[in-house]
Amino acid sequence: MYLVSACLLGLKTRFDAAGFGPFCENIITVPLEKLIPVCPEQLGGLSTPRLPSEIVDGRGEDVIKGEAKVLNSAQQDVTEHFLRGAANALYLAKLYRVKGAILKDGSPSCGSCYIYDGSFSGKRLPGTGVAAALLQENKIPVFNEQKLFPRPHNIKKDKR
Ligand code: SF4
């Protein structure tokens, strides 16, 4: 089993109530019965649509350590929601004993290769979002829609 960002399955969970659908092309080759859709921001209690958020002065691991915050574009502190959503995603990962998580890159929750720099100017920087970082800290591999995608032949060997 794998967690997957709900928006990659076409669910309209993004901050602007959009999704990537009906399926991300890379995800479609994974059997649906192997995928558990999660949206950490919704699991953290944020509404949809919502204002976009970015990690300020750090990355996901810094948020977990209490050394950085997540602010929305109105400069409201939504750190608590992101931490709660990450904890709920980890709970599901452990409950289902997932082999990994396939998460949407660039998101302040789900990003695994890059996130945005907190200036809301579209500037990227290497790093992970809060949920991706918490999963990785708990030894759950995080893939994304572009890279390190688990191919079907690997999944067939996976008994979980
Ligand atoms: Fe998609 Fe993750 Fe953002 Fe939810 S938090 S909309 S699953 S990228």
Side-chain angles (χ1 to χ4, degrees):
M1 299 293 287
Y2 291 80
L3 294 187
V4 60
S5 289
C7 58
L8 288 177
L9 288 186
L11 287 167
K12 300 190 185 308
T13 55
R14 277 177 36 130
F15 72 91
D16 56 359
F20 302 95
F23 297 104
C24 169
E25 278 187 11
N26 286 337
I27 300 295
I28 198 169
T29 55
V30 177
L32 281 174
E33 64 270 24
K34 295 277 187 186
L35 297 175
I36 304 165
V38 295
C39 174
E41 292 175 25
Q42 289 186 341
L43 287 174
L46 291 169
S47 60
T48 305
R50 55 190 174 275
L51 293 174
S53 298
E54 295 188 4
I55 298 171
V56 178
D57 294 331
R59 294 166 170 78
E61 58 268 34
D62 302 311
V63 176
I64 292 166
K65 286 187 282 187
E67 296 174 357
K69 291 184 174 180
V70 188
L71 301 182
N72 67 20
S73 58
Q75 299 300 297
Q76 294 165 323
D77 189 339
V78 288
T79 306
E80 197 63 38
H81 294 286
F82 276 71
L83 288 170
R84 193 184 315 153
N88 280 332
L90 178 62
Y91 171 83
L92 283 173
K94 289 183 172 176
L95 185 67
Y96 285 91
R97 302 178 63 216
V98 301
K99 184 167 182 172
I102 306 164
L103 303 181
K104 177 73 185 75
D105 211 1
S107 155
S109 289
C110 294
S112 55
C113 286
Y114 75 92
I115 54 174
Y116 290 90
D117 74 347
S119 65
F120 293 92
S121 62
K123 191 173 168 199
R124 296 179 177 188
L125 76 169
T128 54
V130 181
L134 187 64
L135 291 168
Q136 287 177 336
E137 285 181 8
N138 284 272
K139 307 196 184 313
I140 295 166
V142 175
F143 309 93
N144 64 51
E145 74 280 16
Q146 304 289 345
K147 194 174 165 186
L148 296 176
F149 172 69
R151 307 310 305 176
H153 69 273
N154 291 332
I155 289 174
K156 281 178 189 164
K157 294 175 192 163
D158 173 22
K159 294 194 172 70
R160 287 183 282 185

